[in-house]
Amino acid sequence: MDQFSAAGEDGAAEAATASGASGASSADAGATGDNGTSAQTGAGGGADPGTGPGPGPGRGVERGAETGNRTGGGESEGAPQAWAALGGDPALLARVARTRRPGLLPSALPVQELAAATVTACALAAAEFSCVRERSAVLPSVQVDDGAVAAAFHSERHLRIDGRDPVNFAPLSRYWRTSDGWVRTHANYPHHRARLLGALGLGTEDGSGSGSTGTTGGTGATADDEAFAAKVAAEFAGREAVEVEDAVFAAGGLAVAVRTPHAWLAHPQRAAVVNAPLVATSRLDNAPPLPLDGRPGPGGLQGLRVLDLTRVLAGPVATRTLGLLGADVLRIDPPQYPELTDTYADTGLGKRSTALDLASRSGQATFEELLASAHVVVTGYRPGALDRFGLAPESLADRRPGLVVGQLCAWGGSGPWQRRRGFDSLVQAATGIAHIEGEARAAGGEDAPGAMPAQALDHGSGYLLAGALLRCLTEQRTGTGGSRVVRLALARTAEWLLRELPREQDTGPAHPFDPTPWTAEADSPLGRLRHVRSPVAFGRHTPSTWTRMPGPPGTDPSAWS
């Protein structure tokens, strides 16, 4: 938005100094194993009007090449692409300073560039909206530190609960060899585990797949899942990968054949995904923006009320970021499908969590009371899955004009897979990412599909979604009003990574990485937590960490705080 000045309150010196997120200085972060090779670079170069970003991702992007550590404002970096996808003014990229630390997210693909770009776009959108709330024309500088970004993209791995490592994947969530290749399954949740085993004829009469009811490590795994793994492996070994994919999908479970990039190019779902923008934003009506009462507070979102109906990582990363910036975020889960405790310990920072049965009259009535004073609703389910509860964007906007709705799914809003469940690991398998990463590791003797160094589709999509929601709030108040809906899909983010981001990946050796400068510890109802601080930082305006620690999922009242 051209009403904001690109000159910060502390002048160019502030823009040239990129501090680590949450107070970790560049000097402190330099001791984390990068051998002092970090370099501060401008992320956009918007001050040069002759080198502004071209068309957004998916629109015939011209890819430029980096020269040295500092880049101009063309498409040689991901940040201009991400910011253009949010509809942001390219001139504001001049307020971004990035501290580079090569080797923190080593990959055959530009994963580190995706990570830095999505955090940059989110932080810039947050800085922009903070100006709107403060009625200020001076945009604070945005600092993006690759160390903070890498730590954040591994937040679920760096979490500790009373010193205990979290369990992020159950034993039945993995790659399996088939008669003609590989398949990837996801069975962290008890109901997904039961459906997987049922599809293979390994379930018990109650459909649980085991007589045991105990779970381990915060996932839906039971104590005898290791024994079941041998049976699953034997069953998969005699079947073709696509046969497994279809059979498990028909049973309501999650399994995806590992495809090559070439095979995904020919897939009809890829054809549907590639025609969509990276971030799709639509205006639904001409309603005025919903009022935000009181002072904006640190981060600019105090008074903003967010209903969070998302799961696992991507959506919760977005709403966790809004919670950092001061929003009142209420997570809603169905009582029969509570979130896994270890997952929520990471993504529940800055939130409260309640269980609400939207299929019941009482649950619907409670939701309507919450919606009546909400500003944002975010969902993370398959397209159309929540429509029967009145949660289609158009229906929500009819009942709450001026609302901003965010929708995130795995496979996109059209195509033959639009109704399928999915997670980051499954999208990696289907789109060819797992194949590419596996080939990169084959030189070391590994004979299996690989994975990116982080669940970057989840985390990256989450920061893009948070930034898109913030941009909608800005545009409602500075341009045209109207209820809005924002849509993202993990498969579209994968397309961006594979074919639109600059491919100058980090080919050097991985550096040892100590996340300590970007972590914090706090007591919580779940125990003593070590968690990663947010990488979103803009001047002195960003909270250093979350003020609310997560408790057991589903135990808070179904009411605003």
Side-chain angles (χ1 to χ4, degrees):
M1 305 298 294
D2 58 10
Q3 69 266 31
F4 298 119
S5 168
E9 61 269 54
D10 293 328
E14 183 183 5
T17 304
S19 64
S22 312
S25 70
S26 297
D28 292 336
T32 63
D34 64 354
N35 301 319
T37 59
S38 62
Q40 294 173 350
T41 67
D48 181 357
T51 57
R59 298 175 178 83
V61 171
E62 288 274 327
R63 300 188 187 112
E66 290 189 14
T67 55
N69 285 323
R70 187 168 183 86
T71 61
E75 295 299 337
S76 59
E77 287 186 316
Q81 293 185 15
W83 185 236
L86 301 189
D89 179 357
L92 300 188
L93 287 163
R95 295 297 296 141
V96 178
R98 176 178 171 189
T99 301
R100 294 180 177 274
R101 304 180 190 281
L104 300 187
L105 293 173
S107 171
L109 295 165
V111 172
Q112 191 157 332
E113 189 61 35
L114 177 148
T118 56
V119 169
T120 297
C122 180
L124 195 54
E128 183 185 37
F129 187 68
S130 74
C131 287
V132 172
R133 285 296 304 276
E134 293 282 2
R135 292 183 171 84
S136 171
V138 180
L139 188 77
S141 63
V142 169
Q143 302 89 37
V144 178
D145 191 306
D146 280 3
V149 171
F153 270 58
H154 288 140
S155 63
E156 70 276 10
R157 303 183 195 180
H158 295 314
L159 177 75
R160 299 294 181 269
I161 307 171
D162 286 332
R164 174 180 67 81
D165 290 359
V167 177
N168 293 313
F169 285 102
L172 299 184
S173 297
R174 47 170 277 197
Y175 293 112
W176 308 84
R177 192 182 290 276
T178 64
S179 64
D180 63 341
W182 294 85
V183 70
R184 171 76 196 205
T185 58
H186 197 286
N188 282 5
Y189 289 107
H191 55 296
H192 291 161
R193 173 186 176 276
R195 293 166 186 171
L196 170 66
L197 295 176
L200 301 177
L202 299 176
T204 59
E205 291 183 1
D206 65 1
S208 68
S210 170
S212 170
T213 58
T215 62
T216 59
T219 72
T222 61
D224 55 1
D225 266 8
E226 293 294 348
F228 267 99
K231 297 179 181 179
V232 172
E235 186 68 27
F236 281 161
R239 300 193 186 191
E240 294 182 354
V242 173
E243 177 194 353
V244 170
E245 177 181 273
D246 291 340
V248 175
F249 166 68
L254 293 109
V256 170
V258 176
R259 290 170 169 80
T260 66
H262 181 74
W264 180 246
L265 277 173
H267 197 281
Q269 189 56 39
R270 191 263 173 179
V273 165
V274 74
N275 288 325
L278 178 60
V279 179
T281 304
S282 303
R283 187 157 63 101
L284 302 177
D285 54 38
N286 295 313
L290 296 169
L292 282 170
D293 299 326
R295 296 287 300 163
L301 296 190
Q302 187 170 305
L304 188 80
R305 289 177 167 178
V306 179
L307 291 175
D308 176 5
L309 293 87
T310 66
R311 305 284 279 183
V312 193
L313 278 181
V317 164
T319 50
R320 181 180 68 184
T321 303
L322 300 181
L324 171 82
L325 301 175
D328 184 1
V329 180
L330 182 62
R331 167 76 176 261
I332 298 176
D333 287 297
Q336 67 272 32
Y337 298 130
E339 183 58 280
L340 303 173
T341 300
D342 282 11
T343 300
Y344 186 69
D346 172 50
T347 62
L349 294 159
K351 306 178 187 178
R352 292 175 302 114
S353 169
T354 192
L356 197 59
D357 184 3
L358 297 179
S360 69
R361 289 186 178 181
S362 61
Q364 288 178 345
T366 300
F367 182 84
E368 292 304 313
E369 292 176 4
L370 294 167
L371 179 63
S373 56
H375 300 89
V376 176
V377 175
V378 188
T379 65
Y381 292 78
R382 293 165 293 154
L386 300 180
D387 289 3
R388 68 186 186 277
F389 303 122
L391 293 178
E394 296 79 7
S395 178
L396 290 167
D398 284 344
R399 283 135 57 208
R400 180 66 168 160
L403 190 71
V404 175
V405 180
Q407 289 189 319
L408 191 142
C409 65
W411 304 108
S414 63
W417 282 17
Q418 63 174 305
R419 302 291 186 184
R420 294 198 179 198
R421 299 173 177 87
F423 295 93
D424 181 302
S425 58
L426 301 183
V427 177
Q428 289 192 50
T431 59
I433 292 173
H435 177 84
I436 291 171
E437 294 288 5
E439 283 192 327
R441 291 163 173 75
E446 297 184 32
D447 179 26
M452 290 188 290
Q455 294 191 74
L457 304 180
D458 265 338
H459 286 275
S461 298
Y463 287 110
L464 281 176
L465 177 56
L469 295 170
L470 289 163
R471 291 240 61 251
C472 284
L473 294 169
T474 293
E475 289 180 349
Q476 284 182 327
R477 288 156 178 80
T478 62
T480 56
S483 307
R484 281 170 165 76
V485 58
V486 174
R487 294 183 174 93
L488 289 90
L490 300 186
R492 184 61 183 85
T493 304
E495 183 73 17
W496 182 44
L497 172 69
L498 284 163
R499 296 178 180 90
E500 295 166 13
L501 272 172
R503 290 297 295 269
E504 292 85 0
Q505 71 266 23
D506 189 356
T507 56
H511 296 295
F513 180 56
D514 176 9
T516 303
W518 300 285
T519 62
E521 292 195 7
D523 291 322
S524 81
L526 298 175
R528 183 73 175 173
L529 293 186
R530 186 190 81 168
H531 64 86
V532 174
R533 300 179 187 229
S534 174
V536 174
F538 48 98
R540 301 181 300 272
H541 301 263
T542 321
S544 61
T545 189
W546 291 269
T547 58
R548 183 187 298 276
M549 293 293 110
T555 57
D556 290 305
S558 299
W560 296 112
S561 59

